[in-house]
Coordinates of all heavy atoms in Angstrom, one line a residue:
M73 N -106.1 268.2 147.1 CA -106.9 267.3 147.8 C -107.2 266.0 147.0 O -107.5 266.1 145.8 CB -108.2 267.9 148.2 CG -109.1 267.1 149.1 SD -110.1 268.3 150.1 CE -110.9 267.1 151.1
V74 N -107.1 264.9 147.6 CA -107.3 263.6 146.9 C -108.8 263.3 147.0 O -109.5 263.3 148.0 CB -106.5 262.5 147.6 CG1 -106.7 261.2 146.9 CG2 -105.0 262.8 147.7
T75 N -109.3 262.9 145.8 CA -110.7 262.6 145.7 C -110.9 261.1 146.1 O -110.0 260.3 146.1 CB -111.2 262.8 144.3 OG1 -110.6 261.8 143.4 CG2 -111.0 264.2 143.8
D76 N -112.2 260.8 146.4 CA -112.5 259.4 146.7 C -112.2 258.5 145.5 O -111.8 257.3 145.7 CB -114.0 259.3 147.1 CG -114.3 259.8 148.5 OD1 -113.3 259.9 149.3 OD2 -115.5 260.0 148.8
E77 N -112.5 259.0 144.3 CA -112.2 258.2 143.1 C -110.7 257.9 143.0 O -110.3 256.8 142.6 CB -112.7 259.0 141.9 CG -112.7 258.2 140.6 CD -113.7 257.0 140.7 OE1 -114.7 257.1 141.3 OE2 -113.4 255.9 140.1
E78 N -109.9 258.9 143.2 CA -108.4 258.6 143.2 C -108.0 257.6 144.2 O -107.2 256.7 143.9 CB -107.6 259.9 143.4 CG -107.8 260.9 142.2 CD -107.2 262.3 142.5 OE1 -107.4 262.8 143.7 OE2 -106.7 262.9 141.6
L79 N -108.5 257.7 145.4 CA -108.2 256.8 146.5 C -108.7 255.4 146.1 O -108.0 254.4 146.4 CB -108.8 257.2 147.8 CG -108.2 258.4 148.5 CD1 -109.0 258.8 149.7 CD2 -106.7 258.1 148.8
K80 N -109.8 255.2 145.5 CA -110.3 253.9 145.1 C -109.4 253.3 144.0 O -109.1 252.1 144.0 CB -111.7 254.1 144.5 CG -112.8 254.3 145.6 CD -114.2 254.4 144.9 CE -115.2 254.7 146.0 NZ -116.5 254.9 145.4
K81 N -108.9 254.2 143.1 CA -107.9 253.7 142.1 C -106.6 253.2 142.7 O -106.1 252.1 142.4 CB -107.6 254.8 141.1 CG -106.8 254.3 139.9 CD -106.7 255.4 138.9 CE -105.9 254.9 137.7 NZ -105.7 256.0 136.7
V82 N -106.1 253.9 143.7 CA -104.9 253.5 144.4 C -105.2 252.2 145.2 O -104.3 251.3 145.2 CB -104.4 254.7 145.3 CG1 -103.3 254.2 146.2 CG2 -103.9 255.8 144.5
Y83 N -106.3 252.2 145.9 CA -106.7 251.0 146.6 C -106.7 249.8 145.7 O -106.2 248.7 146.0 CB -108.0 251.1 147.3 CG -108.5 249.9 148.0 CD1 -108.0 249.6 149.2 CD2 -109.5 249.1 147.4 CE1 -108.5 248.4 149.9 CE2 -110.0 248.0 148.0 CZ -109.5 247.6 149.3 OH -109.9 246.5 149.9
G84 N -107.2 249.9 144.5 CA -107.3 248.9 143.5 C -105.9 248.4 143.1 O -105.6 247.2 142.9
M85 N -105.0 249.4 142.9 CA -103.6 249.0 142.6 C -103.0 248.2 143.6 O -102.3 247.2 143.3 CB -102.8 250.3 142.4 CG -103.1 251.1 141.1 SD -102.1 252.6 141.1 CE -103.1 253.6 140.0
F86 N -103.1 248.6 144.9 CA -102.5 247.8 146.0 C -103.2 246.4 146.1 O -102.4 245.4 146.3 CB -102.7 248.6 147.3 CG -101.6 249.6 147.6 CD1 -101.7 250.9 147.2 CD2 -100.4 249.2 148.1 CE1 -100.7 251.8 147.5 CE2 -99.4 250.1 148.4 CZ -99.6 251.4 148.0
T87 N -104.5 246.4 146.0 CA -105.1 245.0 146.1 C -104.8 244.1 144.9 O -104.6 242.9 145.1 CB -106.6 245.2 146.3 OG1 -107.2 245.9 145.2 CG2 -107.0 245.8 147.6
D88 N -104.7 244.7 143.8 CA -104.4 243.9 142.6 C -102.9 243.4 142.7 O -102.6 242.3 142.3 CB -104.6 244.6 141.3 CG -106.0 244.7 140.9 OD1 -106.9 244.0 141.5 OD2 -106.4 245.5 140.0
A89 N -102.0 244.3 143.2 CA -100.6 243.9 143.4 C -100.5 242.8 144.4 O -99.8 241.8 144.3 CB -99.8 245.1 143.7
W90 N -101.3 242.9 145.5 CA -101.3 241.9 146.5 C -101.8 240.5 146.0 O -101.2 239.5 146.2 CB -102.1 242.3 147.7 CG -102.6 241.1 148.6 CD1 -103.8 240.7 148.8 CD2 -101.7 240.3 149.3 NE1 -103.8 239.6 149.6 CE2 -102.5 239.3 150.0 CE3 -100.3 240.2 149.5 CZ2 -102.0 238.3 150.8 CZ3 -99.8 239.1 150.3 CH2 -100.6 238.2 150.9
K91 N -102.9 240.6 145.3 CA -103.5 239.3 144.7 C -102.5 238.7 143.7 O -102.4 237.5 143.6 CB -104.8 239.6 144.0 CG -105.9 240.0 145.0 CD -107.2 240.4 144.2 CE -108.3 240.9 145.2 NZ -109.5 241.4 144.5
F92 N -101.8 239.5 142.9 CA -100.8 239.1 142.0 C -99.7 238.4 142.7 O -99.3 237.2 142.4 CB -100.3 240.3 141.2 CG -99.1 240.0 140.4 CD1 -99.2 239.4 139.2 CD2 -97.8 240.4 140.9 CE1 -98.0 239.1 138.4 CE2 -96.7 240.2 140.1 CZ -96.8 239.5 138.9
Y93 N -99.2 239.0 143.8 CA -98.1 238.4 144.6 C -98.6 237.1 145.2 O -97.9 236.1 145.1 CB -97.6 239.3 145.7 CG -96.6 238.6 146.5 CD1 -95.3 238.5 146.1 CD2 -96.9 238.1 147.7 CE1 -94.3 237.9 146.8 CE2 -95.9 237.4 148.5 CZ -94.7 237.3 148.0 OH -93.7 236.6 148.8
K94 N -99.8 237.1 145.8 CA -100.3 235.9 146.4 C -100.4 234.8 145.5 O -100.1 233.6 145.8 CB -101.6 236.2 147.1 CG -102.3 235.1 147.8 CD -103.6 235.6 148.4 CE -104.3 234.4 149.1 NZ -105.7 234.8 149.5
K95 N -100.9 235.0 144.2 CA -101.1 234.0 143.2 C -99.8 233.3 142.8 O -99.7 232.1 142.6 CB -101.7 234.6 142.0 CG -102.0 233.7 140.8 CD -102.7 234.4 139.7 CE -102.9 233.4 138.5 NZ -103.7 234.1 137.4
Y96 N -98.7 234.1 142.8 CA -97.4 233.6 142.3 C -96.4 233.4 143.5 O -95.2 233.1 143.2 CB -96.8 234.5 141.3 CG -97.7 234.6 140.0 CD1 -98.5 235.6 139.7 CD2 -97.6 233.5 139.1 CE1 -99.3 235.6 138.6 CE2 -98.4 233.5 138.0 CZ -99.3 234.6 137.7 OH -100.0 234.6 136.6
A97 N -96.8 233.4 144.7 CA -95.9 233.3 145.8 C -95.2 232.0 145.9 O -94.1 231.9 146.4 CB -96.6 233.6 147.2
D98 N -95.9 230.9 145.4 CA -95.3 229.6 145.4 C -94.4 229.6 144.1 O -94.8 229.1 143.1 CB -96.3 228.5 145.4 CG -95.7 227.1 145.5 OD1 -94.6 227.0 145.9 OD2 -96.4 226.2 145.1
V99 N -93.2 230.1 144.2 CA -92.4 230.3 143.0 C -92.0 228.9 142.4 O -91.7 228.0 143.1 CB -91.1 231.0 143.4 CG1 -90.1 231.1 142.3 CG2 -91.4 232.4 144.0
Q100 N -92.1 228.9 141.1 CA -91.8 227.7 140.3 C -90.6 228.0 139.4 O -90.4 229.2 139.0 CB -93.0 227.4 139.4 CG -94.3 227.1 140.2 CD -94.2 226.0 141.1 OE1 -93.8 224.9 140.7 NE2 -94.6 226.2 142.3
Q101 N -89.9 227.0 139.1 CA -88.7 227.2 138.2 C -89.0 226.7 136.8 O -88.4 225.8 136.3 CB -87.5 226.4 138.8 CG -87.1 226.8 140.1 CD -86.5 228.2 140.1 OE1 -86.2 228.8 139.0 NE2 -86.4 228.9 141.2
S102 N -90.0 227.3 136.2 CA -90.4 226.9 134.8 C -90.6 228.2 134.0 O -91.0 229.2 134.5 CB -91.6 226.1 134.8 OG -92.8 226.9 135.1
D103 N -90.4 228.0 132.7 CA -90.6 229.1 131.8 C -92.1 229.5 131.8 O -92.4 230.7 131.7 CB -90.2 228.7 130.3 CG -88.7 228.6 130.2 OD1 -87.9 229.2 131.0 OD2 -88.2 228.0 129.2
E104 N -93.0 228.6 131.9 CA -94.4 228.8 131.9 C -94.8 229.7 133.1 O -95.6 230.7 132.9 CB -95.2 227.5 131.9 CG -95.1 226.7 130.6 CD -93.8 225.8 130.7 OE1 -93.2 225.7 131.7 OE2 -93.5 225.3 129.6
Y105 N -94.2 229.4 134.2 CA -94.5 230.2 135.4 C -94.1 231.7 135.2 O -94.9 232.6 135.4 CB -93.7 229.6 136.6 CG -93.7 230.5 137.8 CD1 -94.8 230.5 138.7 CD2 -92.7 231.4 138.1 CE1 -94.8 231.3 139.9 CE2 -92.7 232.2 139.2 CZ -93.7 232.2 140.1 OH -93.7 233.0 141.2
W106 N -92.9 231.9 134.7 CA -92.4 233.2 134.6 C -93.0 234.0 133.4 O -93.3 235.2 133.5 CB -90.8 233.3 134.4 CG -90.2 232.9 135.7 CD1 -89.6 231.7 136.0 CD2 -90.1 233.7 136.9 NE1 -89.1 231.7 137.3 CE2 -89.4 232.9 137.9 CE3 -90.6 234.9 137.2 CZ2 -89.2 233.4 139.2 CZ3 -90.3 235.4 138.5 CH2 -89.7 234.7 139.5
E107 N -93.4 233.3 132.4 CA -94.2 233.9 131.3 C -95.5 234.4 131.8 O -96.0 235.5 131.5 CB -94.4 232.9 130.2 CG -93.1 232.7 129.3 CD -93.2 231.6 128.3 OE1 -94.4 231.2 128.0 OE2 -92.2 231.1 127.8
S108 N -96.2 233.6 132.7 CA -97.4 233.9 133.3 C -97.3 235.1 134.2 O -98.1 236.0 134.2 CB -98.0 232.7 134.0 OG -99.3 233.0 134.5
V109 N -96.2 235.1 135.0 CA -96.0 236.3 135.9 C -95.9 237.6 135.0 O -96.5 238.6 135.4 CB -94.7 236.1 136.7 CG1 -94.2 237.4 137.3 CG2 -94.9 235.0 137.7
L110 N -95.1 237.5 134.0 CA -94.9 238.7 133.2 C -96.2 239.1 132.4 O -96.5 240.3 132.4 CB -93.7 238.5 132.2 CG -92.4 238.4 132.8 CD1 -91.3 238.1 131.8 CD2 -92.0 239.6 133.7
D111 N -96.9 238.1 131.9 CA -98.1 238.5 131.1 C -99.1 239.1 132.1 O -99.7 240.1 131.7 CB -98.7 237.2 130.5 CG -97.9 236.7 129.3 OD1 -97.1 237.5 128.8 OD2 -98.1 235.5 128.9
E112 N -99.3 238.5 133.2 CA -100.3 239.1 134.1 C -99.9 240.4 134.7 O -100.8 241.3 134.8 CB -100.6 238.1 135.3 CG -101.8 238.6 136.1 CD -102.3 237.5 137.1 OE1 -102.1 236.3 136.8 OE2 -103.0 237.9 138.0
S113 N -98.6 240.6 134.9 CA -98.2 241.9 135.4 C -98.5 243.0 134.4 O -98.9 244.1 134.7 CB -96.7 241.9 135.8 OG -95.9 241.7 134.7
R114 N -98.2 242.7 133.1 CA -98.5 243.6 132.0 C -100.0 244.0 131.9 O -100.4 245.1 131.7 CB -98.1 243.0 130.7 CG -96.6 243.0 130.5 CD -96.2 242.5 129.1 NE -94.8 242.2 129.0 CZ -94.3 241.0 129.0 NH1 -95.1 240.0 128.9 NH2 -93.0 240.8 128.9
Q115 N -100.8 242.9 132.1 CA -102.3 243.2 132.1 C -102.7 244.1 133.2 O -103.6 245.0 133.0 CB -103.0 241.8 132.2 CG -102.9 241.0 131.0 CD -103.5 239.6 131.2 OE1 -104.1 239.3 132.2 NE2 -103.2 238.7 130.2
I116 N -102.2 243.9 134.4 CA -102.5 244.7 135.6 C -102.1 246.2 135.3 O -102.8 247.1 135.5 CB -102.0 244.2 136.9 CG1 -102.6 242.8 137.2 CG2 -102.2 245.1 138.0 CD1 -102.0 242.0 138.3
A117 N -100.8 246.3 134.8 CA -100.3 247.7 134.6 C -101.2 248.4 133.5 O -101.5 249.5 133.7 CB -98.9 247.6 134.1
K118 N -101.6 247.6 132.5 CA -102.4 248.2 131.4 C -103.8 248.6 132.0 O -104.3 249.7 131.6 CB -102.6 247.2 130.3 CG -103.4 247.7 129.1 CD -103.4 246.7 128.0 CE -104.2 247.2 126.8 NZ -104.4 246.2 125.8
K119 N -104.3 247.8 133.0 CA -105.6 248.1 133.6 C -105.6 249.5 134.2 O -106.6 250.3 134.2 CB -105.9 247.1 134.7 CG -107.1 247.4 135.5 CD -107.3 246.3 136.5 CE -108.5 246.5 137.4 NZ -108.7 245.5 138.4
Y120 N -104.4 249.9 134.7 CA -104.3 251.2 135.4 C -103.5 252.2 134.5 O -102.9 253.2 134.9 CB -103.5 251.1 136.7 CG -104.4 250.3 137.7 CD1 -104.1 248.9 137.9 CD2 -105.5 250.9 138.3 CE1 -104.9 248.2 138.8 CE2 -106.3 250.1 139.2 CZ -106.0 248.8 139.4 OH -106.8 248.1 140.3
D121 N -103.6 252.0 133.2 CA -103.0 252.9 132.2 C -101.5 253.1 132.5 O -101.0 254.2 132.3 CB -103.7 254.3 132.1 CG -105.1 254.1 131.7 OD1 -105.4 253.3 130.8 OD2 -106.0 254.8 132.3
N122 N -100.8 252.1 132.9 CA -99.4 252.1 133.2 C -99.0 253.2 134.2 O -97.9 253.8 134.1 CB -98.6 252.2 131.9 CG -98.7 251.0 131.0 OD1 -98.6 249.8 131.5 ND2 -99.0 251.2 129.8
A123 N -99.9 253.4 135.2 CA -99.6 254.3 136.2 C -98.3 254.0 137.0 O -98.0 252.8 137.2 CB -100.7 254.4 137.2
K124 N -97.5 255.0 137.3 CA -96.2 254.7 137.9 C -96.3 253.9 139.2 O -95.5 253.0 139.5 CB -95.5 256.0 138.2 CG -94.9 256.7 137.0 CD -94.2 257.9 137.3 CE -93.7 258.6 136.1 NZ -92.9 259.8 136.4
L125 N -97.4 254.2 140.0 CA -97.6 253.4 141.3 C -97.9 252.0 141.0 O -97.3 251.1 141.6 CB -98.7 254.0 142.1 CG -99.0 253.3 143.4 CD1 -97.7 253.2 144.3 CD2 -100.1 254.0 144.2
A126 N -98.7 251.7 140.0 CA -99.1 250.3 139.7 C -97.8 249.6 139.2 O -97.5 248.4 139.7 CB -100.1 250.3 138.6
I127 N -97.0 250.2 138.4 CA -95.8 249.6 137.9 C -94.8 249.3 139.0 O -94.2 248.2 139.1 CB -95.2 250.4 136.8 CG1 -96.1 250.3 135.5 CG2 -93.8 249.9 136.4 CD1 -95.7 251.3 134.4
A128 N -94.7 250.3 139.9 CA -93.8 250.2 141.1 C -94.2 249.0 142.0 O -93.3 248.2 142.4 CB -93.7 251.5 141.9
L129 N -95.5 248.9 142.2 CA -96.0 247.8 143.1 C -95.7 246.4 142.4 O -95.3 245.5 143.1 CB -97.4 248.0 143.4 CG -97.8 249.2 144.3 CD1 -99.3 249.4 144.2 CD2 -97.3 249.0 145.7
L130 N -96.0 246.3 141.1 CA -95.8 245.1 140.4 C -94.3 244.7 140.4 O -93.9 243.6 140.6 CB -96.4 245.2 139.0 CG -97.9 245.3 139.0 CD1 -98.4 245.7 137.6 CD2 -98.5 243.9 139.4
L131 N -93.4 245.7 140.1 CA -92.0 245.4 140.1 C -91.5 245.0 141.4 O -90.6 244.1 141.5 CB -91.2 246.7 139.6 CG -91.4 247.0 138.1 CD1 -90.7 248.3 137.8 CD2 -90.8 245.9 137.3
A132 N -92.0 245.6 142.5 CA -91.6 245.1 143.8 C -92.0 243.7 144.1 O -91.2 242.9 144.6 CB -92.2 246.1 144.9
A133 N -93.2 243.3 143.7 CA -93.7 241.9 143.8 C -92.8 241.0 143.0 O -92.4 239.9 143.5 CB -95.1 241.8 143.4
I134 N -92.5 241.4 141.7 CA -91.7 240.5 140.9 C -90.3 240.4 141.5 O -89.7 239.3 141.4 CB -91.7 241.1 139.4 CG1 -93.0 240.9 138.8 CG2 -90.6 240.3 138.6 CD1 -93.2 241.6 137.5
D135 N -89.7 241.5 142.0 CA -88.4 241.5 142.6 C -88.4 240.5 143.8 O -87.4 239.7 143.9 CB -88.0 242.8 143.1 CG -87.5 243.8 142.0 OD1 -87.3 243.3 140.9 OD2 -87.4 245.0 142.3
E136 N -89.4 240.5 144.5 CA -89.5 239.5 145.7 C -89.6 238.1 145.2 O -89.0 237.2 145.7 CB -90.7 239.9 146.6 CG -90.9 238.9 147.7 CD -89.7 238.8 148.7 OE1 -88.8 239.7 148.7 OE2 -89.7 237.9 149.6
L137 N -90.4 237.8 144.1 CA -90.5 236.5 143.5 C -89.1 236.0 143.0 O -88.7 234.9 143.2 CB -91.5 236.5 142.4 CG -93.0 236.8 142.8 CD1 -93.9 236.9 141.6 CD2 -93.5 235.7 143.8
E138 N -88.4 236.9 142.4 CA -87.1 236.6 141.9 C -86.1 236.3 143.0 O -85.3 235.4 142.9 CB -86.5 237.7 141.0 CG -87.2 237.8 139.7 CD -86.7 239.0 138.8 OE1 -86.1 240.0 139.4 OE2 -86.9 239.0 137.6
R139 N -86.2 237.1 144.1 CA -85.3 236.8 145.3 C -85.6 235.5 145.8 O -84.7 234.7 146.1 CB -85.6 237.9 146.3 CG -84.6 237.8 147.6 CD -85.1 238.6 148.7 NE -86.4 238.1 149.3 CZ -86.5 237.0 150.0 NH1 -85.5 236.2 150.3 NH2 -87.7 236.6 150.5
K140 N -86.9 235.1 146.0 CA -87.3 233.8 146.5 C -86.8 232.7 145.5 O -86.3 231.7 146.0 CB -88.8 233.7 146.6 CG -89.3 234.5 147.8 CD -90.8 234.5 147.8 CE -91.4 233.1 148.2 NZ -92.8 233.1 148.4
S141 N -86.8 232.9 144.2 CA -86.4 232.0 143.2 C -84.9 231.7 143.4 O -84.5 230.5 143.3 CB -86.7 232.5 141.8 OG -86.1 231.6 140.9
K142 N -84.1 232.7 143.6 CA -82.7 232.6 143.7 C -82.3 231.9 145.0 O -81.2 231.3 145.0 CB -82.0 234.0 143.6 CG -82.1 234.6 142.2 CD -81.5 236.0 142.2 CE -81.7 236.6 140.8 NZ -81.3 238.0 140.7
E143 N -83.1 231.9 146.0 CA -82.8 231.3 147.3 C -83.3 229.8 147.3 O -83.0 229.1 148.3 CB -83.4 232.1 148.4 CG -82.8 233.4 148.7 CD -83.4 234.2 149.8 OE1 -84.4 233.7 150.4 OE2 -82.8 235.2 150.1
M144 N -84.0 229.4 146.3 CA -84.5 228.0 146.3 C -83.3 227.0 146.2 O -82.3 227.3 145.6 CB -85.4 227.8 145.1 CG -86.7 228.6 145.2 SD -87.8 228.4 143.8 CE -88.5 226.8 144.2
P145 N -83.4 225.9 146.9 CA -82.2 224.9 146.9 C -81.6 224.6 145.6 O -80.4 224.5 145.5 CB -82.9 223.7 147.6 CG -84.0 224.2 148.4 CD -84.5 225.4 147.6
Q146 N -82.4 224.4 144.6 CA -81.8 223.9 143.3 C -81.0 225.0 142.6 O -80.3 224.8 141.7 CB -82.9 223.4 142.3 CG -83.9 224.4 141.9 CD -85.2 224.4 142.8 OE1 -85.1 224.1 144.0 NE2 -86.3 224.6 142.2
N147 N -81.1 226.3 143.2 CA -80.3 227.4 142.6 C -79.0 227.6 143.5 O -78.3 228.5 143.2 CB -81.1 228.6 142.5 CG -82.1 228.5 141.4 OD1 -81.9 227.8 140.4 ND2 -83.3 229.2 141.6
A148 N -78.9 226.9 144.6 CA -77.7 227.1 145.4 C -76.5 226.6 144.8 O -76.5 225.7 144.0 CB -77.9 226.4 146.8
T149 N -75.4 227.3 145.0 CA -74.1 226.9 144.4 C -73.2 226.4 145.5 O -73.3 226.6 146.6 CB -73.4 228.1 143.7 OG1 -73.3 229.2 144.6 CG2 -74.2 228.5 142.5

């Protein structure tokens, strides 16, 4: 049985991942942008003791940011 505390932790992971994605959704083509993405994702993962779910959510968000980056006009070939 899942406790309320466990559910709150999972809720926190999802909301933090959403806030993370929202913050970086306007993808930039700069080293500073991507360094910030990686630094903040590490901080969030650490907040949840590198829980597999937190890492999976963050990686999914980063994958989407990378997909958007590759589709930007200046990256078209």
Side-chain angles (χ1 to χ4, degrees):
M73 186 154 183
V74 180
T75 66
D76 284 345
E77 192 63 33
E78 291 170 323
L79 288 174
K80 286 179 185 177
K81 186 174 182 179
V82 169
Y83 176 78
M85 291 179 200
F86 275 94
T87 56
D88 284 348
W90 161 244
K91 290 175 186 174
F92 168 79
Y93 176 79
K94 183 179 173 186
K95 179 176 180 179
Y96 295 103
D98 184 20
V99 176
Q100 305 295 312
Q101 297 296 343
S102 71
D103 290 341
E104 294 82 14
Y105 169 86
W106 290 107
E107 286 172 18
S108 183
V109 166
L110 294 177
D111 288 344
E112 188 164 338
S113 67
R114 288 184 193 109
Q115 291 172 11
I116 295 169
K118 186 177 178 182
K119 175 181 176 180
Y120 295 103
D121 299 318
N122 293 312
K124 288 183 181 183
L125 178 58
I127 292 170
L129 293 168
L130 292 165
L131 287 174
I134 292 169
D135 283 347
E136 177 61 12
L137 296 173
E138 288 177 340
R139 184 196 65 76
K140 288 174 67 174
S141 173
K142 290 175 184 174
E143 291 180 358
M144 293 176 79
Q146 61 266 35
N147 289 331
T149 55

